[in-house]
Amino acid sequence: FLVSKIDDLFVATTRIDGTVGLAGGKLDSGETPQQALFREVLEEGWELASDVQLTLIHQQLVDGKICQWYQSDKPPVALTCYKERYRGITPILINQQQLIDSGMGNQNLKL
């Protein structure tokens, strides 16, 4: 997952069913976690600068799989055209409480 802020709001996505969460997803075969994050963020309507630095800030087991949260040193840019738009995924900005309420900002994650 990407943990990034624009001013005092977190970069996130919303889905057609109204759920809100951080941009992120699963690894494709042969990808590193960082490569997957770049791809997933782009698919979900955000673009990271090519020279952005990602720092692993938290990881934990979820359903037997390692989940990782990365913080970017530069905020991404919201896109108007992207792969998952057709599924109702939209890039949005949310406050810290909305992030916590979404269930995607794990309570152990230091925001």
Side-chain angles (χ1 to χ4, degrees):
F1 297 104
L2 175 68
V3 178
S4 189
K5 291 175 87 174
I6 297 176
D7 298 322
D8 62 342
L9 297 175
F10 288 89
V11 168
T13 60
T14 186
R15 290 168 169 49
I16 200 165
D17 66 1
T19 58
V20 171
L22 296 172
K26 297 178 183 175
L27 291 173
D28 282 350
S29 179
E31 282 184 323
T32 66
Q34 294 85 358
Q35 290 169 329
L37 186 62
F38 269 88
R39 178 185 50 76
E40 287 286 350
V41 166
L42 189 63
E43 288 177 0
E44 295 181 12
W46 292 99
E47 183 173 30
L48 290 165
S50 61
D51 64 342
V52 71
Q53 296 295 310
L54 298 173
T55 302
L56 180 64
I57 60 170
H58 181 73
Q59 66 181 5
Q60 70 182 60
L61 281 177
V62 176
D63 297 329
K65 297 180 183 179
I66 294 178
C67 286
Q68 297 177 326
W69 284 259
Y70 288 87
Q71 186 169 22
S72 64
D73 68 339
K74 298 177 185 174
V77 175
L79 301 173
T80 56
C81 293
Y82 51 93
K83 182 179 178 182
E84 297 294 347
R85 185 177 186 155
Y86 74 94
R87 288 186 18 199
I89 293 175
T90 306
I92 61 170
L93 295 171
I94 58 176
N95 64 37
Q96 185 169 341
Q97 190 58 54
Q98 289 170 304
L99 176 60
I100 292 167
D101 291 346
S102 76
M104 300 300 284
N106 182 280
Q107 63 269 21
N108 297 322
L109 179 63
K110 303 295 182 219
L111 303 171

